[in-house]
Amino acid sequence: MTAFLPSLNPTPAFPKHYGGPYPVGTVDIEIPVSELPSVARTPDPSITTVSFRVFYPCESPHSSPKPVYWIPDPQHGYVSAYARFLGASSRISQLIAYFPRLLYHITIPAVRNAKILAAPSESRRWPVVVFSHGLGGSRNAYSHLLGSLSSYGIVAIAPEHREGSAPISYIKQGNGSEPVPIDYRSIPHTPSREVEEARDEQLRIRLWELGLVHEALLMIDKGAKLSNFASEVSSKKTEVQNVLLTFSALLDVHRPGSISWAGHSFGAATVYQFVKSVFYCPTDQILQNSTGHHPLFAPAADSSIRSQITPQSTVALLDLWTLPLRSASTAWLWSKALPCYESGGRGGANVLVILSEAFFKWRGNLISTKQAVSAGPSGERRHDPEKSRPHIFYPVKTAHVSQSDFGILFPWATKKFMKAEEPERTLTLNVLAILELMRQNGKDVASLSDVDGHAVLETVPGATNGHAVSNVVHKRHAHANGSLDASKQSLSANIDILSLQSSIRGWIPVSVDVEDKPGEATNEKTGSDADPSEAVMESDFMNSNEDHEKMSHDTSE
């Protein structure tokens, strides 16, 4: 352990700038549920606010902004909660014990409460993506991924779920009283009826929260004055309120199918279940009862989310964890394909799956993931030649945490314990793939070829497709003040990141076919490499091989 101490100085840190052309602002939001339209029946009345962080293209600051700390207030509470969350791994608990104070000083390279930039696209509105975190995550845990997306012209929304999946979360009261903590809820990772019911309960809350986030975005875009309890930790409460007012008429959230949905692990399962729950929700309660359907989320018939989810909705799933989708009570929903396969949809062209190598080697979950994003019914899912195939890739030498901030903040730990390498490059691949998915589905995002400070991706040595590239180089220059026009052209004429023939080094396309393909999931000794205890850090440090084998068998059925 002591051999790692020199690596802890200086403080773990993010790159100073994101890769895109725009400066990035961020604002923390916590809105009382009572101020939002009711989207569905409240699953837990004790959750009285909805909390999320927003990353967005912003104007360049005229003075040095206040730092945005990665560990939010109260910092001691969050650090202690992470230590408890990682208690199953004595190595990591010991590691955290060495440097809790260093964690307090990690800052996110975004401008706090900055004014949003005017959108340069024809619509004069920024595209929006909503990102759901996994177990052990929070509204800050994917800041580099989401900040990077925002630097290319996207407003990224990071909800913090309050159903016990975060190490800890706090519900502010707005009356000066102490925030109410919600501790992490430990649920076994092996399948059982009790586990199914517990995960269903969590999903009910998560889906409801996403519906509330959607309502909040509509109201913010309309210029509504909403209470923001998160601003109470700031000495400039009016500054935060004024920032929210500048978002008016700048968010592309009203057009059906305009919002993109993304998530990691349990968060990927959440957005997957969300878009299907909304799209396939029976409109008649009698129909629900007569068919035996018991939706985890049934938005009201007049709810605006009903018109938002369409066959054109774009979905990005990072390390999709499929166990929560296989509950007996929602088997009827599992049997249905994603909305993009319905009439008017483009099929898999709307879907991106990015696996870590750990999840790629987790055979049972890999098979279920392929089933989940294919076109046919459960048990008979086969590719429909009339629809495009979904995009499925994995970057080599990556762990489950590589798609979160933990990989980039603690590269020495992830390399030592998880054999994960090149954490910044891994996140760059994730970012560029999501951007290209959105671009191909009509979203206005900045072109990579026009950007100073972008990551140049190295292709496979000896590639013959004429892609002239160099090693991964990050040139962090001062960002322009939003003068760069967004472009509908490809991210780069020299990058084919969503192509099955992609020659990008270590970026491996995966067949959607459920049957094994040469080189796919053939390593039988992967139990310890891909533990089913999903989440942000826990899965890669725990050694629950017996649980893994049992769960791999279950999810492949």
Side-chain angles (χ1 to χ4, degrees):
M1 182 65 65
T2 56
F4 286 106
L5 291 180
S7 301
L8 301 181
N9 189 14
T11 302
F14 294 104
K16 291 184 178 180
H17 299 288
Y18 298 112
Y22 300 115
V24 176
T26 185
V27 61
D28 211 8
I29 297 176
E30 185 169 356
I31 300 172
V33 172
S34 60
E35 295 187 12
L36 300 172
S38 177
V39 64
R41 187 175 64 179
T42 303
D44 186 344
S46 69
I47 302 174
T48 56
T49 65
V50 59
S51 173
F52 53 98
R53 179 171 287 281
V54 183
F55 297 88
Y56 53 92
C58 74
E59 294 183 357
S60 293
H62 299 295
S63 59
S64 297
K66 290 185 177 181
V68 180
Y69 290 108
W70 185 63
I71 301 291
D73 287 326
Q75 289 189 316
H76 178 73
Y78 277 95
V79 172
S80 298
Y82 268 113
R84 293 193 300 271
F85 172 70
L86 297 169
S89 171
S90 59
R91 290 176 294 180
I92 299 305
S93 295
Q94 294 173 36
L95 191 62
I96 286 182
Y98 276 106
F99 60 102
R101 292 290 177 182
L102 291 179
L103 294 176
Y104 294 168
H105 299 287
I106 299 174
T107 58
I108 297 172
V111 183
R112 180 179 178 179
N113 302 335
K115 183 179 180 180
I116 190 171
L117 196 66
S121 62
E122 292 181 6
S123 69
R124 311 303 296 176
R125 293 176 178 269
W126 296 108
V128 173
V129 60
V130 176
F131 187 95
S132 174
H133 67 74
L135 294 188
S138 68
R139 65 191 187 278
N140 287 4
Y142 300 85
S143 68
H144 191 74
L145 174 74
L146 301 182
S148 297
L149 290 173
S150 294
S151 73
Y152 282 94
I154 293 171
V155 174
I157 313 297
E160 183 160 291
H161 296 295
R162 264 70 173 282
E163 83 312 1
S165 63
I168 197 169
S169 188
Y170 293 89
I171 298 178
K172 296 184 175 66
Q173 304 302 301
N175 57 7
S177 59
E178 287 295 314
V180 178
I182 299 178
D183 293 318
Y184 179 74
R185 182 182 178 187
S186 182
I187 299 172
H189 304 295
T190 50
S192 69
R193 181 175 180 179
E194 291 74 19
V195 168
E196 282 188 3
E197 291 175 351
R199 294 301 182 198
D200 280 352
E201 183 180 345
Q202 288 187 307
L203 278 172
R204 283 189 188 92
I205 295 173
R206 282 172 157 255
L207 304 186
W208 172 69
E209 288 173 323
L210 290 185
L212 290 174
V213 168
H214 175 255
E215 293 293 345
L217 293 176
L218 295 182
M219 295 187 70
I220 290 171
D221 185 73
K222 292 176 180 177
K225 292 185 178 181
L226 298 169
S227 300
N228 184 10
F229 291 173
S231 65
E232 293 182 359
V233 302
S234 170
S235 60
K236 295 184 177 180
K237 184 174 180 179
T238 56
E239 174 187 271
V240 179
Q241 298 291 352
N242 291 337
V243 168
L244 291 182
L245 291 177
T246 69
F247 281 70
S248 177
L250 286 178
L251 306 180
D252 190 4
V253 292
H254 299 284
R255 290 187 305 111
S258 60
I259 298 177
S260 298
W261 305 89
H264 177 236
S265 195
F266 194 22
T270 299
V271 296
Y272 179 91
Q273 203 77 327
F274 181 74
V275 296
K276 291 175 69 175
S277 294
V278 174
F279 189 79
Y280 292 112
C281 181
T283 57
D284 192 315
Q285 187 64 43
I286 296 177
L287 176 62
Q288 292 183 26
N289 295 336
S290 65
T291 58
H293 296 175
H294 301 285
L296 300 179
F297 178 64
D302 59 350
S303 172
S304 57
I305 192 62
R306 292 260 193 165
S307 60
Q308 175 57 230
I309 303 299
T310 73
Q312 287 72 47
S313 295
T314 303
V315 178
L317 308 170
L318 313 186
D319 269 358
L320 173 64
W321 182 40
T322 60
L323 181 70
L325 306 176
R326 306 302 300 269
S327 166
S329 65
T330 59
W332 64 276
L333 192 58
W334 172 259
S335 69
K336 297 180 179 298
L338 283 165
C340 59
Y341 291 104
E342 298 299 326
S343 177
R346 300 177 62 225
N350 292 55
V351 181
L352 170 65
V353 176
I354 306 177
L355 305 169
S356 63
E357 185 167 2
F359 264 52
F360 171 73
K361 289 181 176 180
W362 179 9
R363 180 183 176 85
N365 197 77
L366 175 64
I367 292 173
S368 289
T369 296
K370 291 181 176 185
Q371 292 175 334
V373 299
S374 59
S378 179
E380 301 177 0
R381 290 178 182 254
R382 294 293 185 271
H383 173 62
D384 180 353
E386 300 299 320
K387 301 286 187 181
S388 299
R389 290 174 177 263
H391 309 287
I392 310 179
F393 294 86
Y394 81 91
V396 300
K397 297 182 180 179
T398 52
H400 192 48
V401 300
S402 298
Q403 294 166 321
S404 72
D405 286 347
F406 294 94
I408 203 167
L409 286 176
F410 310 108
W412 38 269
T414 54
K415 184 173 183 178
K416 171 68 176 179
F417 299 121
M418 296 172 263
K419 312 302 180 186
E421 299 183 4
E422 300 184 286
E424 190 172 352
R425 182 177 191 270
T426 297
L427 281 175
T428 298
L429 288 167
N430 277 261
V431 168
L432 298 185
I434 294 171
L435 287 171
E436 186 68 358
L437 175 77
M438 295 180 70
R439 185 204 65 79
Q440 291 186 8
N441 283 279
K443 308 297 190 294
D444 290 311
V445 298
S447 172
L448 179 65
S449 59
D450 294 331
V451 178
D452 288 334
H454 68 272
V456 180
L457 306 181
E458 180 182 357
T459 58
V460 176
T464 59
N465 61 355
H467 290 215
V469 291
S470 61
N471 200 1
V472 178
V473 179
H474 290 270
K475 301 177 181 179
R476 303 294 180 182
H477 299 304
H479 286 45
N481 186 23
S483 59
L484 181 69
D485 287 339
S487 173
K488 289 188 178 181
Q489 297 179 355
S490 176
L491 287 173
S492 173
N494 293 328
I495 294 178
D496 55 354
I497 196 163
L498 295 188
S499 169
L500 291 176
Q501 287 74 45
S502 175
S503 58
I504 297 172
R505 174 177 63 83
W507 180 248
I508 311 301
V510 179
S511 168
V512 71
D513 295 323
V514 173
E515 295 81 4
D516 287 345
K517 295 293 181 181
E520 284 191 11
T522 57
N523 185 352
E524 297 297 331
K525 299 180 180 180
T526 59
S528 62
D529 294 331
D531 190 276
S533 51
E534 65 309 332
V536 176
M537 292 186 73
E538 187 178 15
S539 62
D540 293 294
F541 288 100
M542 294 179 65
N543 294 305
S544 152
N545 295 341
E546 181 178 349
D547 284 357
H548 169 75
E549 294 300 331
K550 182 177 179 181
M551 196 166 175
S552 293
H553 174 75
D554 262 65
T555 56
S556 63
E557 293 179 352

